Amino acid sequence: MSALPHAVRDSTTMLRRNLRRNLRYPVGPASTIGVPIVLLLLFVSVFGDTMGAGLVGVSGGRDDYLAYITPGILLISVAGAAQGAAISVAMDMTEGIMNRFRTMAIARASVLTGHVLGNLIQTVIALAFVIGVALLLGFDPTADWVEWLAAAVLLVGISLAVIWLAVALGLVSRTVEAASNLPLPLMLLPFLGSGFVPTDSMPAAMRWFAEHQPFTPIINTVRGLLLGTAIGSDGVLAVLWSVAIGLGGYAWSRHLFNRDPTA
């Protein structure tokens, strides 16, 4: 069998393995889907009126705040999936199955590819649930199908990039507990960006960080595509950050997986 069909077959086998493990241990997938929805309900129902009235240039209340934070909550879903990916990879490392895979006559790339695709499917499901709940709460995007498609491609792209980074974090962790903690800073980025309040309202140092960290242009671009707000240079920055994180995470993961495990 040639290399490509062999790699596709083994990757499909590894993907099935990861999906079955998620079904066997549903706490992780449930958390990836549930946490962003709980945050959406909490911020909209508890803080929505006050936060919506305080948005710069917006005189509305809960509905305006729902529209504002939905893109930020979508990025919370993306960051949350990273934790699940890091944990699943670390479990394979600490249980020794990763070393077993290295000795088997399978395509080496399929081991990590199975993890990445499994977590990407989980992330896409979480994003769909968040958008569904937001629509039920009254989220009213103005996007046409092209803008919806562009937003979906961007979200899947940053999800893929973050998952590759999370795989590297799982490979570099010596324990499952460490793997669960390393991706946590990613969960904070939507809060420390334009996800929940405009960056203009932040203190100077925090504002500088918020305007230059990778999630802010992605959130602004998704918000612009779905709601028709200005995107400007954020669209280009969003793509560049996604590509940089993805390539960096892939290269780091590959290096860690191919290193001598006895070194």
Side-chain angles (χ1 to χ4, degrees):
M1 183 179 293
S2 60
L4 181 58
H6 180 60
V8 171
R9 185 200 61 187
D10 291 344
S11 296
T12 303
T13 301
M14 290 297 172
L15 171 60
R16 275 203 306 271
R17 171 182 177 269
N18 283 283
L19 293 177
R20 285 175 177 168
R21 184 160 69 174
N22 286 336
L23 293 175
R24 193 173 302 143
Y25 304 104
V27 174
S31 176
T32 301
I33 296 172
V35 169
I37 291 176
V38 169
L39 289 175
L40 179 65
L41 294 172
L42 176 66
F43 274 86
V44 172
S45 61
V46 178
F47 308 120
D49 284 334
T50 302
M51 299 292 280
L55 290 175
V56 177
V58 175
S59 58
R62 185 172 298 169
D63 290 343
D64 295 289
Y65 194 58
L66 170 63
Y68 187 84
I69 69 165
T70 295
I73 296 292
L74 292 172
L75 266 294
I76 290 279
S77 305
V78 172
Q83 189 177 32
I87 290 173
S88 64
V89 171
M91 288 175 65
D92 279 354
M93 291 290 290
T94 56
E95 292 172 356
I97 190 66
M98 197 70 84
N99 289 334
R100 175 63 177 147
F101 286 148
R102 286 189 175 106
T103 65
M104 296 172 64
I106 60 175
R108 291 174 67 86
S110 67
V111 179
L112 299 186
T113 301
H115 277 288
V116 170
L117 293 180
N119 283 280
L120 182 62
I121 291 173
Q122 184 177 311
T123 308
V124 170
I125 293 173
L127 292 171
F129 268 93
V130 169
I131 291 175
V133 172
L135 291 172
L136 290 174
L137 291 175
F139 181 53
D140 187 22
T142 60
D144 57 25
W145 72 270
V146 175
E147 292 165 327
W148 271 107
L149 180 61
V153 170
L154 178 58
L155 287 170
V156 171
I158 186 60
S159 298
L160 187 62
V162 167
I163 290 170
W164 271 115
L165 177 61
V167 168
L169 295 176
L171 288 170
V172 81
S173 300
R174 294 188 179 276
T175 65
V176 175
E177 289 77 13
S180 69
N181 292 327
L182 285 179
L184 287 180
L186 294 172
M187 292 284 288
L188 297 178
L189 290 182
F191 294 96
L192 302 178
S194 63
F196 290 81
V197 295
T199 57
D200 293 344
S201 65
M202 299 178 178
M206 183 62 71
R207 177 181 176 181
W208 183 92
F209 175 80
E211 291 178 345
H212 293 85
Q213 57 112 326
F215 276 17
T216 291
I218 297 170
I219 293 170
N220 291 343
T221 302
V222 173
R223 185 177 289 131
L225 289 169
L226 297 184
L227 299 169
T229 57
I231 295 177
S233 61
D234 284 329
V236 175
L237 289 173
V239 174
L240 291 177
W241 272 116
S242 299
V243 172
I245 295 171
L247 291 178
Y250 171 76
W252 192 17
S253 299
R254 185 173 177 179
H255 168 73
L256 292 171
F257 184 71
N258 289 331
R259 66 183 173 178
D260 184 355
T262 62

